[in-house]
Every structure is written in structure tokens, then in C-alpha cells.
Amino acid sequence: MSEKSEIDLLNAICRVAKSEGKLTGRNLTELYEVFGQRFTKAFEALRENRVKKYVFRPSGKVVWIVVGRERDYLLMPEAEFCTCDDFYFRVLDRQVHLCYHLIAQKVARVLDWFDMVEEHDELYDSLMSEWKKATV
Ligand SMILES: [Zn+2]
């Protein structure tokens, strides 16, 4: 499957989910058909409230984090970028386009299914360097 169609499919399913206000049984089946284990893991992260939206005040800067088993993953959804190894090795290799964190974030955003964490701007730099450090 090409990378383009993976994203298109996810977007299409998210549009339906948004209009329904939830993931229907059919959405779940489709997502599983497209993403397999990646969706299983994404769904688990959603159900365990491990998708976090950090909003920094007063700037309003937004950072998305998926709390993983061993560390936190920093996502840049606009760039479809994630700091996980899965992303680094497979996505850059063009084997897989979306890691499970990005799938979880997309569904989370569409369905408002995330934990919102508000922090002061003063903490932005130190938190970002923590999150980025984990990537090396
Ligand atoms: Zn990832």
C-alpha cells in the first residue's frame, strides 16, 4: 500500500468518526484492516489516555505527546513526524508511513480524545529538551 493512501484512508475514516462523534464498529474494523497491530497499539494508547496535548500559556504553543511504555514520544502532527524508533527506522525507510503514535494523535484530535495539560511558557524549553533528548 502506498503511503499516500494510508494517510488518505486514515483521514477519511477520521472524517466519518468525527461526524459520528465516535469510532463506530465499522471504523474500528477498517482501521484494523489498514493498520493492523499499529492500530491496536494506537487504540490502546487512546483508551489508556496516553495521548497528551500540552498547551503552553500564554503563548498558546501546542505540543503533542504520546506516553509510551518506556518514554514519551514527541509528535509534530503537521509534519507527520514522530520521535519514536519506529518512525525513524521504518518511516524514513518508506516501509511504513505512520507510526502508531501518529495514528493515535490523529484519532485523538478528531474525537477530542486526549488529556489536555496546561503549562507555563517558562517550562517550554526544558520540557522540549527532555522530550527531544529521548530521541537520541
Ligand atoms: Zn511514533
Side-chain angles (χ1 to χ4, degrees):
M1 180 181 305
S2 78
E3 324 142 26
K4 178 89 176 117
S5 69
E6 222 180 48
I7 293 226
D8 287 347
L9 279 164
L10 182 58
N11 285 336
I13 296 167
C14 281
R15 266 197 301 277
V16 175
K18 193 186 174 88
S19 70
E20 302 271 344
K22 64 180 165 81
L23 288 171
T24 62
R26 203 190 141 153
N27 294 153
L28 292 173
T29 309
E30 285 172 346
L31 285 164
Y32 188 75
E33 276 168 7
V34 177
F35 299 106
Q37 283 304 310
R38 276 180 289 154
F39 177 64
T40 308
K41 289 169 88 174
F43 196 48
E44 210 172 77
L46 286 161
R47 277 188 323 198
E48 292 171 0
N49 277 321
R50 288 190 278 117
V51 183
K52 314 274 178 198
K53 179 183 184 178
Y54 279 77
V55 180
F56 290 87
R57 303 288 184 207
S59 69
K61 271 190 281 226
V62 171
V63 175
W64 289 88
I65 296 291
V66 174
V67 177
R69 301 269 175 245
E70 279 155 33
R71 62 179 179 88
D72 294 350
Y73 300 97
L74 171 66
L75 311 181
M76 292 166 202
E78 318 76 44
E80 272 147 16
F81 175 83
C82 180
T83 50
C84 68
D85 292 349
D86 214 38
F87 181 88
Y88 188 78
F89 292 112
R90 292 199 274 156
V91 178
L92 293 186
D93 234 18
R94 308 241 159 216
Q95 289 181 38
V96 176
H97 195 68
L98 296 168
C99 61
Y100 87 84
H101 310 105
L102 284 166
I103 298 169
Q105 187 275 338
K106 226 170 240 274
V107 175
R109 200 193 42 187
V110 165
L111 296 179
D112 277 328
W113 194 0
F114 51 79
D115 239 24
M116 169 110 142
V117 185
E118 289 191 288
E119 292 287 5
H120 196 274
D121 278 334
E122 278 168 15
L123 285 173
Y124 181 81
D125 288 338
S126 62
L127 282 172
M128 282 301 273
S129 69
E130 268 311 295
W131 288 321
K132 283 182 177 162
K133 196 164 61 190
T135 71
V136 220

